[in-house]
């Protein structure tokens, strides 16, 4: 699902208590606990809170650092709360109710333009986990194959519409409306059914929705938009400039854990699915299994490390500007501090 889309799991409102992850708990210890010594579990840990936009599978590198005790290993006790919308973590940070935001990267730009200066310290999603699902037999080999099709989506401004529109224009060289593409805008959960009953040729969805279409409606994944879009800083961790100036050591520890989590996801088979079973207990096991495979096989979606490159940044600026979610773009040098992620990747993570 998109960061601008509703999610199937209940969202915690800003007024509700923070969901706590006490990382020293024996139940949270797993593979990483056995594989790595964790002095942070016995020493005093710095407490920080992360405000995430929504609870979504796209943020699994962060959940992996939580569930595998990697934040604790690096001396942090991390809590998180679900804000309930893509723009809301900014308000939580500015109210000093959290130290780190996890949301769409463009929100750091909008906040900075409004005077709440932010610095992006690392990416959590390096691609857009957006898939086309259809009945068996329909082949989508290129963007041109979408011309003339009726496509079930969520309602605008969902990324299920804005991202394909942007890609068709920027990469395909055609305007979807002029090419006969008809977006059938539907409420959450209705996309797969529209394909099944013939109202749409295909649906564009995020996981876990795409995998639900496959496992419960007999559809199949016929195209990955992440593969065509390329690397992009779609979701990121950012902090206020003020916090960064006074808490560089904490930011480094956070980056170390995130880099180590990404390494675990890419080097230990089954980690994505294992973590997802804990974070999304209401999602059916066959959906989790297929969705985890989709995430790990789609290019760039699960980053190898948290470093935001200039290529990542320029791509998200172009995408968000084209989607109409940015007031204006800002340069890489003004918003990104890659020093912490670079050091973390070198010591605890993987190269690009």
């Amino acid at each position: 699902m998109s960061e601008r889309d509703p999610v199937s799991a209940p969202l915690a409102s800003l007024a509700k208590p923070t969901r706590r992850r006490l990382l020293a708990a024996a139940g949270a210890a797993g593979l990483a606990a056995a594989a790595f010594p964790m002095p942070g579990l016995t020493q005093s840990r710095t407490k920080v809170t992360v405000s995430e936009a929504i609870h979504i599978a796209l943020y699994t590198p962060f959940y992996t650092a939580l569930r595998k005790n990697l934040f604790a290993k690096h001396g942090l006790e991390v809590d998180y709360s679900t804000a309930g919308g893509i723009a809301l973590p900014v308000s939580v940070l500015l109210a000093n109710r959290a130290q780190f935001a996890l949301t769409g990267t463009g929100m750091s730009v909008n906040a900075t333009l409004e005077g709440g200066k932010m610095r992006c310290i690392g990416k959590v999603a390096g691609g857009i986990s957006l898939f086309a699902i259809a009945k068996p037999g329909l082949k989508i080999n290129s963007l041109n194959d979408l011309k003339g099709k009726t496509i079930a989506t969520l309602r605008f401004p969902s990324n299920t519409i804005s991202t394909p529109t942007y890609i068709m224009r920027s990469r395909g060289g055609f305007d979807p409306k002029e090419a006969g593409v008809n977006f059938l805008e539907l409420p959450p959960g209705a996309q797969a059914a529209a394909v099944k009953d013939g109202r749409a040729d295909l649906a564009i969805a995020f996981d876990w929705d795409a995998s639900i279409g496959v496992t419960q409606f007999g559809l199949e994944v016929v195209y990955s938009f992440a593969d065509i879009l390329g690397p992009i800083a779609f979701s990121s961790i950012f902090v206020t400039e003020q916090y960064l100036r006074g808490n560089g050591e904490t930011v480094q520890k956070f980056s170390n854990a995130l880099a180590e989590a990404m390494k675990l996801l890419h080097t230990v088979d089954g980690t994505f699915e294992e973590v997802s079973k804990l974070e999304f207990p209401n999602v059916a096991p066959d959906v989790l299994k297929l969705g985890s495979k989709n995430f790990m096989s789609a290019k760039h979606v699960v980053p190898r490390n948290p470093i935001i490159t200039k290529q990542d940044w320029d791509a998200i600026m172009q995408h968000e500007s084209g989607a109409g979610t940015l007031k204006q773009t800002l340069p890489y040098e003004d918003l990104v501090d890659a020093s912490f992620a670079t050091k973390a990747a070198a010591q605890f993570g993987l190269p690009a």
Side-chain angles (χ1 to χ4, degrees), residues 185-219:
E185 300 181 36
L186 299 170
Q191 289 70 35
V195 177
K196 182 71 173 179
D197 65 25
R199 287 177 292 147
D201 298 299
L202 64 149
I204 293 178
F206 290 82
D207 261 318
W208 309 113
D209 285 347
S211 293
I212 289 173
V214 173
T215 59
Q216 298 181 15
F217 290 85
L219 308 180

mmCIF file of all heavy atoms in Angstrom, residues 185-219:
data_model
loop_
_atom_site.group_PDB
_atom_site.id
_atom_site.type_symbol
_atom_site.label_atom_id
_atom_site.label_comp_id
_atom_site.label_asym_id
_atom_site.label_seq_id
_atom_site.Cartn_x
_atom_site.Cartn_y
_atom_site.Cartn_z
ATOM 1 N N GLU A 185 -11.408 4.185 -10.262
ATOM 2 C CA GLU A 185 -11.065 4.511 -8.877
ATOM 3 C C GLU A 185 -12.073 3.870 -7.924
ATOM 4 O O GLU A 185 -13.274 4.112 -8.011
ATOM 5 C CB GLU A 185 -11.029 6.025 -8.692
ATOM 6 C CG GLU A 185 -10.013 6.715 -9.592
ATOM 7 C CD GLU A 185 -9.984 8.223 -9.381
ATOM 8 O OE1 GLU A 185 -10.147 8.674 -8.225
ATOM 9 O OE2 GLU A 185 -9.816 8.942 -10.386
ATOM 10 N N LEU A 186 -11.544 3.071 -6.991
ATOM 11 C CA LEU A 186 -12.389 2.272 -6.108
ATOM 12 C C LEU A 186 -11.925 2.397 -4.651
ATOM 13 O O LEU A 186 -10.784 2.795 -4.393
ATOM 14 C CB LEU A 186 -12.334 0.796 -6.532
ATOM 15 C CG LEU A 186 -12.828 0.479 -7.947
ATOM 16 C CD1 LEU A 186 -12.476 -0.956 -8.309
ATOM 17 C CD2 LEU A 186 -14.323 0.713 -8.049
ATOM 18 N N PRO A 187 -12.773 2.048 -3.699
ATOM 19 C CA PRO A 187 -12.363 2.062 -2.291
ATOM 20 C C PRO A 187 -11.376 0.941 -1.989
ATOM 21 O O PRO A 187 -11.241 -0.008 -2.784
ATOM 22 C CB PRO A 187 -13.685 1.866 -1.540
ATOM 23 C CG PRO A 187 -14.574 1.188 -2.516
ATOM 24 C CD PRO A 187 -14.191 1.709 -3.865
ATOM 25 N N PRO A 188 -10.681 1.014 -0.863
ATOM 26 C CA PRO A 188 -9.706 -0.030 -0.512
ATOM 27 C C PRO A 188 -10.319 -1.420 -0.501
ATOM 28 O O PRO A 188 -11.435 -1.630 -0.026
ATOM 29 C CB PRO A 188 -9.258 0.386 0.897
ATOM 30 C CG PRO A 188 -9.493 1.850 0.959
ATOM 31 C CD PRO A 188 -10.721 2.098 0.147
ATOM 32 N N GLY A 189 -9.585 -2.377 -1.061
ATOM 33 C CA GLY A 189 -10.014 -3.758 -1.061
ATOM 34 C C GLY A 189 -10.852 -4.175 -2.254
ATOM 35 O O GLY A 189 -11.163 -5.369 -2.403
ATOM 36 N N ALA A 190 -11.235 -3.230 -3.120
ATOM 37 C CA ALA A 190 -12.139 -3.550 -4.224
ATOM 38 C C ALA A 190 -11.424 -3.765 -5.551
ATOM 39 O O ALA A 190 -12.065 -4.147 -6.538
ATOM 40 C CB ALA A 190 -13.178 -2.438 -4.382
ATOM 41 N N GLN A 191 -10.122 -3.556 -5.611
ATOM 42 C CA GLN A 191 -9.422 -3.598 -6.886
ATOM 43 C C GLN A 191 -9.385 -5.011 -7.481
ATOM 44 O O GLN A 191 -9.680 -5.219 -8.664
ATOM 45 C CB GLN A 191 -7.985 -3.065 -6.722
ATOM 46 C CG GLN A 191 -7.892 -1.577 -6.491
ATOM 47 C CD GLN A 191 -8.407 -1.168 -5.123
ATOM 48 O OE1 GLN A 191 -8.247 -1.885 -4.133
ATOM 49 N NE2 GLN A 191 -9.041 -0.006 -5.060
ATOM 50 N N ALA A 192 -9.000 -5.992 -6.680
ATOM 51 C CA ALA A 192 -8.893 -7.358 -7.194
ATOM 52 C C ALA A 192 -10.247 -7.880 -7.660
ATOM 53 O O ALA A 192 -10.349 -8.561 -8.695
ATOM 54 C CB ALA A 192 -8.299 -8.270 -6.120
ATOM 55 N N ALA A 193 -11.303 -7.549 -6.913
ATOM 56 C CA ALA A 193 -12.645 -8.002 -7.293
ATOM 57 C C ALA A 193 -13.069 -7.423 -8.635
ATOM 58 O O ALA A 193 -13.733 -8.095 -9.433
ATOM 59 C CB ALA A 193 -13.647 -7.615 -6.207
ATOM 60 N N ALA A 194 -12.666 -6.170 -8.907
ATOM 61 C CA ALA A 194 -13.015 -5.540 -10.180
ATOM 62 C C ALA A 194 -12.350 -6.248 -11.351
ATOM 63 O O ALA A 194 -12.924 -6.343 -12.441
ATOM 64 C CB ALA A 194 -12.618 -4.063 -10.157
ATOM 65 N N VAL A 195 -11.145 -6.754 -11.152
ATOM 66 C CA VAL A 195 -10.480 -7.535 -12.197
ATOM 67 C C VAL A 195 -11.151 -8.897 -12.338
ATOM 68 O O VAL A 195 -11.393 -9.371 -13.446
ATOM 69 C CB VAL A 195 -8.979 -7.695 -11.877
ATOM 70 C CG1 VAL A 195 -8.299 -8.571 -12.943
ATOM 71 C CG2 VAL A 195 -8.297 -6.333 -11.797
ATOM 72 N N LYS A 196 -11.456 -9.495 -11.222
ATOM 73 C CA LYS A 196 -12.057 -10.827 -11.223
ATOM 74 C C LYS A 196 -13.396 -10.841 -11.956
ATOM 75 O O LYS A 196 -13.689 -11.771 -12.733
ATOM 76 C CB LYS A 196 -12.252 -11.294 -9.780
ATOM 77 C CG LYS A 196 -12.827 -12.698 -9.640
ATOM 78 C CD LYS A 196 -11.824 -13.751 -10.037
ATOM 79 C CE LYS A 196 -12.344 -15.138 -9.728
ATOM 80 N NZ LYS A 196 -11.388 -16.193 -10.129
ATOM 81 N N ASP A 197 -14.208 -9.786 -11.754
ATOM 82 C CA ASP A 197 -15.537 -9.783 -12.379
ATOM 83 C C ASP A 197 -15.568 -9.089 -13.740
ATOM 84 O O ASP A 197 -16.630 -8.931 -14.340
ATOM 85 C CB ASP A 197 -16.588 -9.193 -11.450
ATOM 86 C CG ASP A 197 -16.372 -7.710 -11.138
ATOM 87 O OD1 ASP A 197 -15.733 -7.000 -11.935
ATOM 88 O OD2 ASP A 197 -16.858 -7.253 -10.077
ATOM 89 N N GLY A 198 -14.390 -8.654 -14.230
ATOM 90 C CA GLY A 198 -14.306 -8.142 -15.587
ATOM 91 C C GLY A 198 -14.516 -6.653 -15.753
ATOM 92 O O GLY A 198 -14.496 -6.144 -16.885
ATOM 93 N N ARG A 199 -14.711 -5.915 -14.669
ATOM 94 C CA ARG A 199 -14.860 -4.465 -14.788
ATOM 95 C C ARG A 199 -13.544 -3.778 -15.131
ATOM 96 O O ARG A 199 -13.535 -2.655 -15.639
ATOM 97 C CB ARG A 199 -15.431 -3.884 -13.498
ATOM 98 C CG ARG A 199 -16.913 -4.172 -13.265
ATOM 99 C CD ARG A 199 -17.367 -3.626 -11.925
ATOM 100 N NE ARG A 199 -16.754 -4.355 -10.826
ATOM 101 C CZ ARG A 199 -16.429 -3.818 -9.658
ATOM 102 N NH1 ARG A 199 -16.603 -2.528 -9.452
ATOM 103 N NH2 ARG A 199 -15.900 -4.563 -8.708
ATOM 104 N N ALA A 200 -12.438 -4.415 -14.841
ATOM 105 C CA ALA A 200 -11.120 -3.858 -15.131
ATOM 106 C C ALA A 200 -10.240 -4.930 -15.757
ATOM 107 O O ALA A 200 -10.402 -6.133 -15.478
ATOM 108 C CB ALA A 200 -10.475 -3.323 -13.859
ATOM 109 N N ASP A 201 -9.318 -4.505 -16.604
ATOM 110 C CA ASP A 201 -8.376 -5.442 -17.209
ATOM 111 C C ASP A 201 -7.296 -5.864 -16.222
ATOM 112 O O ASP A 201 -6.815 -6.997 -16.261
ATOM 113 C CB ASP A 201 -7.712 -4.796 -18.439
ATOM 114 C CG ASP A 201 -8.717 -4.457 -19.522
ATOM 115 O OD1 ASP A 201 -9.376 -5.393 -20.023
ATOM 116 O OD2 ASP A 201 -8.858 -3.256 -19.842
ATOM 117 N N LEU A 202 -6.905 -4.952 -15.388
ATOM 118 C CA LEU A 202 -5.886 -5.211 -14.387
ATOM 119 C C LEU A 202 -6.058 -4.229 -13.236
ATOM 120 O O LEU A 202 -6.806 -3.244 -13.344
ATOM 121 C CB LEU A 202 -4.473 -5.099 -14.971
ATOM 122 C CG LEU A 202 -4.021 -3.733 -15.483
ATOM 123 C CD1 LEU A 202 -2.533 -3.559 -15.319
ATOM 124 C CD2 LEU A 202 -4.379 -3.567 -16.962
ATOM 125 N N ALA A 203 -5.371 -4.489 -12.138
ATOM 126 C CA ALA A 203 -5.372 -3.590 -10.993
ATOM 127 C C ALA A 203 -3.939 -3.229 -10.659
ATOM 128 O O ALA A 203 -3.013 -4.010 -10.901
ATOM 129 C CB ALA A 203 -6.044 -4.239 -9.787
ATOM 130 N N ILE A 204 -3.756 -2.041 -10.132
ATOM 131 C CA ILE A 204 -2.447 -1.617 -9.650
ATOM 132 C C ILE A 204 -2.560 -1.482 -8.138
ATOM 133 O O ILE A 204 -3.410 -0.750 -7.623
ATOM 134 C CB ILE A 204 -2.000 -0.303 -10.305
ATOM 135 C CG1 ILE A 204 -1.760 -0.542 -11.804
ATOM 136 C CG2 ILE A 204 -0.735 0.230 -9.644
ATOM 137 C CD1 ILE A 204 -1.364 0.698 -12.571
ATOM 138 N N ALA A 205 -1.713 -2.231 -7.434
ATOM 139 C CA ALA A 205 -1.854 -2.329 -5.983
ATOM 140 C C ALA A 205 -0.491 -2.461 -5.316
ATOM 141 O O ALA A 205 0.509 -2.803 -5.950
ATOM 142 C CB ALA A 205 -2.726 -3.529 -5.618
ATOM 143 N N PHE A 206 -0.499 -2.181 -4.014
ATOM 144 C CA PHE A 206 0.670 -2.385 -3.178
ATOM 145 C C PHE A 206 0.480 -3.674 -2.383
ATOM 146 O O PHE A 206 -0.644 -4.110 -2.140
ATOM 147 C CB PHE A 206 0.837 -1.213 -2.196
ATOM 148 C CG PHE A 206 1.236 0.071 -2.864
ATOM 149 C CD1 PHE A 206 0.282 0.883 -3.460
ATOM 150 C CD2 PHE A 206 2.558 0.470 -2.898
ATOM 151 C CE1 PHE A 206 0.645 2.065 -4.078
ATOM 152 C CE2 PHE A 206 2.932 1.651 -3.517
ATOM 153 C CZ PHE A 206 1.976 2.445 -4.114
ATOM 154 N N ASP A 207 1.572 -4.278 -1.992
ATOM 155 C CA ASP A 207 1.445 -5.397 -1.066
ATOM 156 C C ASP A 207 1.219 -4.860 0.342
ATOM 157 O O ASP A 207 1.757 -3.808 0.696
ATOM 158 C CB ASP A 207 2.711 -6.263 -1.100
ATOM 159 C CG ASP A 207 2.534 -7.495 -1.982
ATOM 160 O OD1 ASP A 207 1.451 -8.097 -1.885
ATOM 161 O OD2 ASP A 207 3.442 -7.829 -2.739
ATOM 162 N N TRP A 208 0.336 -5.512 1.067
ATOM 163 C CA TRP A 208 -0.101 -6.885 0.866
ATOM 164 C C TRP A 208 -1.279 -7.057 -0.123
ATOM 165 O O TRP A 208 -1.682 -8.198 -0.449
ATOM 166 C CB TRP A 208 -0.506 -7.495 2.202
ATOM 167 C CG TRP A 208 0.524 -7.334 3.250
ATOM 168 C CD1 TRP A 208 0.418 -6.578 4.376
ATOM 169 C CD2 TRP A 208 1.834 -7.933 3.297
ATOM 170 N NE1 TRP A 208 1.564 -6.670 5.130
ATOM 171 C CE2 TRP A 208 2.465 -7.478 4.486
ATOM 172 C CE3 TRP A 208 2.544 -8.770 2.457
ATOM 173 C CZ2 TRP A 208 3.749 -7.864 4.849
ATOM 174 C CZ3 TRP A 208 3.817 -9.147 2.814
ATOM 175 C CH2 TRP A 208 4.406 -8.700 4.003
ATOM 176 N N ASP A 209 -1.873 -5.999 -0.617
ATOM 177 C CA ASP A 209 -3.054 -6.085 -1.482
ATOM 178 C C ASP A 209 -2.793 -6.896 -2.749
ATOM 179 O O ASP A 209 -3.649 -7.663 -3.189
ATOM 180 C CB ASP A 209 -3.520 -4.680 -1.872
ATOM 181 C CG ASP A 209 -4.219 -3.969 -0.735
ATOM 182 O OD1 ASP A 209 -4.561 -4.632 0.259
ATOM 183 O OD2 ASP A 209 -4.425 -2.751 -0.829
ATOM 184 N N ALA A 210 -1.623 -6.720 -3.359
ATOM 185 C CA ALA A 210 -1.323 -7.456 -4.589
ATOM 186 C C ALA A 210 -1.322 -8.959 -4.335
ATOM 187 O O ALA A 210 -1.858 -9.744 -5.126
ATOM 188 C CB ALA A 210 0.021 -7.009 -5.153
ATOM 189 N N SER A 211 -0.740 -9.370 -3.215
ATOM 190 C CA SER A 211 -0.674 -10.798 -2.899
ATOM 191 C C SER A 211 -2.030 -11.356 -2.502
ATOM 192 O O SER A 211 -2.306 -12.540 -2.716
ATOM 193 C CB SER A 211 0.355 -11.039 -1.792
ATOM 194 O OG SER A 211 1.665 -10.752 -2.267
ATOM 195 N N ILE A 212 -2.887 -10.537 -1.921
ATOM 196 C CA ILE A 212 -4.260 -10.965 -1.645
ATOM 197 C C ILE A 212 -4.979 -11.250 -2.966
ATOM 198 O O ILE A 212 -5.725 -12.227 -3.094
ATOM 199 C CB ILE A 212 -5.003 -9.893 -0.832
ATOM 200 C CG1 ILE A 212 -4.457 -9.859 0.605
ATOM 201 C CG2 ILE A 212 -6.506 -10.155 -0.813
ATOM 202 C CD1 ILE A 212 -4.997 -8.726 1.445
ATOM 203 N N GLY A 213 -4.738 -10.402 -3.980
ATOM 204 C CA GLY A 213 -5.337 -10.631 -5.290
ATOM 205 C C GLY A 213 -4.916 -11.955 -5.888
ATOM 206 O O GLY A 213 -5.716 -12.648 -6.532
ATOM 207 N N VAL A 214 -3.664 -12.323 -5.664
ATOM 208 C CA VAL A 214 -3.155 -13.586 -6.210
ATOM 209 C C VAL A 214 -3.693 -14.782 -5.435
ATOM 210 O O VAL A 214 -4.193 -15.746 -6.019
ATOM 211 C CB VAL A 214 -1.613 -13.583 -6.201
ATOM 212 C CG1 VAL A 214 -1.068 -14.949 -6.606
ATOM 213 C CG2 VAL A 214 -1.078 -12.507 -7.142
ATOM 214 N N THR A 215 -3.592 -14.718 -4.107
ATOM 215 C CA THR A 215 -3.931 -15.892 -3.299
ATOM 216 C C THR A 215 -5.432 -16.099 -3.122
ATOM 217 O O THR A 215 -5.900 -17.230 -2.973
ATOM 218 C CB THR A 215 -3.281 -15.787 -1.907
ATOM 219 O OG1 THR A 215 -3.738 -14.588 -1.249
ATOM 220 C CG2 THR A 215 -1.766 -15.748 -2.020
ATOM 221 N N GLN A 216 -6.220 -15.017 -3.153
ATOM 222 C CA GLN A 216 -7.644 -15.135 -2.866
ATOM 223 C C GLN A 216 -8.540 -14.916 -4.095
ATOM 224 O O GLN A 216 -9.714 -15.285 -4.054
ATOM 225 C CB GLN A 216 -8.032 -14.154 -1.759
ATOM 226 C CG GLN A 216 -7.322 -14.433 -0.435
ATOM 227 C CD GLN A 216 -7.705 -13.476 0.676
ATOM 228 O OE1 GLN A 216 -8.708 -12.751 0.577
ATOM 229 N NE2 GLN A 216 -6.915 -13.456 1.730
ATOM 230 N N PHE A 217 -7.987 -14.318 -5.159
ATOM 231 C CA PHE A 217 -8.817 -14.030 -6.337
ATOM 232 C C PHE A 217 -8.297 -14.710 -7.598
ATOM 233 O O PHE A 217 -8.846 -14.507 -8.678
ATOM 234 C CB PHE A 217 -8.909 -12.521 -6.559
ATOM 235 C CG PHE A 217 -9.726 -11.798 -5.528
ATOM 236 C CD1 PHE A 217 -9.162 -11.386 -4.339
ATOM 237 C CD2 PHE A 217 -11.075 -11.536 -5.746
ATOM 238 C CE1 PHE A 217 -9.914 -10.717 -3.367
ATOM 239 C CE2 PHE A 217 -11.838 -10.865 -4.801
ATOM 240 C CZ PHE A 217 -11.255 -10.472 -3.603
ATOM 241 N N GLY A 218 -7.240 -15.474 -7.489
ATOM 242 C CA GLY A 218 -6.734 -16.212 -8.636
ATOM 243 C C GLY A 218 -6.033 -15.362 -9.672
ATOM 244 O O GLY A 218 -5.898 -15.778 -10.835
ATOM 245 N N LEU A 219 -5.569 -14.183 -9.301
ATOM 246 C CA LEU A 219 -4.866 -13.308 -10.234
ATOM 247 C C LEU A 219 -3.368 -13.590 -10.175
ATOM 248 O O LEU A 219 -2.913 -14.439 -9.407
ATOM 249 C CB LEU A 219 -5.163 -11.841 -9.885
ATOM 250 C CG LEU A 219 -6.650 -11.467 -9.753
ATOM 251 C CD1 LEU A 219 -6.803 -9.991 -9.412
ATOM 252 C CD2 LEU A 219 -7.417 -11.805 -11.021
#
